[in-house]
Amino acid sequence: MTELGTKQSVQSIQTNSPTAVNMAGVPVPAGKVSYERFLEWADEDTYAEWVDGAIEIMTSPASWEHQKMSKFLTKIIDGFVELYQLGEVLQAPFQMKLADSGREPDLLFVSQSRLGQLKKTFLDGPADLVVEIISPESVERDKVEKLGEYQAGGVLEYWLIDVIVNKADFYQLSKNGKYRKIALNAHGQYNSTAIPGFWLQTAWLWQKPLPNVQDILLEIAGADYASY
């Protein structure tokens, strides 16, 4: 298994390519395959995604900045979710299965009401919140392809964290099924609707070094976290 939140670059598999095998050396199935066949082929140590019936292998490691951001966000969100028993937080590699894709988001949150969708190796349906941390090779995929997939699939909230240019974009699903980009409030904070009561000061994300996680949780949850 990879380190916490590892995300790798994606290349389309050619079935005659010498790299088109899983970690056990089994060649990728020819042509388009069902999601069930993809899961059968993709063993636990094979990093791949399923997109419109095609298998895509992820090949290059994430950067240190990517790893640090993933770990930081996971600890903050998981700490808040655990405090209020709101659901489950999972990080890559763990699949989220939508109608036409099986992706491995950097981080996802599943509320208590959707925990029945969690299977052994994948979430069968949309998460309440998905976070993707952008790498140089993933800009188009995260900002265009996944934005469209997650919107169509019903992911309630989508965060795009760009550690290249220190920029964060936040999207929430409207009643019409379309994402709307949410502006920060006057204090530079983003208020989540998928995780009730959770907010994020985006300036925290660009501090070097990143802030202490316990200090952040104390600021967000106050006395509740202090007593916890």
Side-chain angles (χ1 to χ4, degrees):
M1 302 291 286
T2 53
E3 293 287 328
L4 178 68
T6 293
K7 180 62 62 65
Q8 297 130 346
S9 68
V10 172
Q11 65 179 31
S12 295
I13 293 177
Q14 301 297 322
T15 56
N16 61 353
S17 167
T19 62
V21 297
N22 64 13
M23 292 299 290
V26 179
V28 64
K32 290 193 173 184
V33 299
S34 67
Y35 188 66
E36 292 71 22
R37 180 70 184 93
F38 161 69
L39 289 179
E40 180 183 332
W41 172 83
D43 54 42
E44 187 175 3
D45 295 318
T46 299
Y47 306 106
E49 293 184 326
W50 180 81
V51 183
D52 194 24
I55 298 175
E56 296 180 341
I57 289 183
M58 293 139 61
T59 56
S60 65
S63 69
W64 184 34
E65 288 79 10
H66 185 289
Q67 292 280 36
K68 287 190 295 183
M69 184 62 68
S70 178
K71 186 176 181 180
F72 177 69
L73 287 171
T74 299
K75 284 185 174 182
I76 291 173
I77 296 172
D78 190 52
F80 187 90
V81 167
E82 183 177 326
L83 173 63
Y84 294 108
Q85 296 295 295
L86 299 176
E88 292 288 342
V89 176
L90 301 117
Q91 61 280 327
F94 192 83
Q95 284 269 324
M96 179 179 68
K97 168 67 169 65
L98 301 178
D100 297 314
S101 67
R103 296 289 194 178
E104 287 188 354
D106 285 305
L107 185 156
L108 56 85
F109 162 69
V110 185
S111 64
Q112 289 283 357
S113 64
R114 297 192 184 194
L115 290 182
Q117 298 172 204
L118 277 173
K119 309 302 179 184
K120 182 178 180 180
T121 58
F122 69 101
L123 173 67
D124 189 10
D128 295 80
L129 165 68
V130 166
V131 179
E132 297 284 9
I133 300 167
I134 297 174
S135 300
E137 53 75 29
S138 74
V139 174
E140 178 76 11
R141 187 169 67 255
D142 292 339
K143 289 188 173 183
V144 179
E145 296 173 24
K146 290 186 178 181
L147 183 71
E149 289 174 24
Y150 296 166
Q151 174 180 271
V155 175
L156 298 179
E157 201 165 306
Y158 182 33
W159 302 3
L160 276 164
I161 311 298
D162 193 334
V163 295
I164 307 166
V165 297
N166 290 357
K167 185 175 185 293
D169 292 321
F170 304 93
Y171 296 88
Q172 294 177 3
L173 200 64
S174 301
K175 292 182 179 179
N176 65 3
K178 302 294 184 183
Y179 275 141
R180 59 191 182 96
K181 191 173 180 180
I182 305 299
L184 305 179
N185 66 18
H187 304 289
Q189 298 171 354
Y190 170 73
N191 293 282
S192 175
T193 55
I195 307 177
F198 183 84
W199 55 270
L200 184 73
Q201 185 79 42
T202 56
W204 293 333
L205 303 177
W206 322 129
Q207 291 183 26
K208 295 186 184 300
L210 288 165
N212 179 274
V213 169
Q214 289 191 341
D215 290 344
I216 296 301
L217 285 168
L218 281 170
E219 189 164 348
I220 297 172
D224 287 347
Y225 185 73
S227 60
Y228 176 78

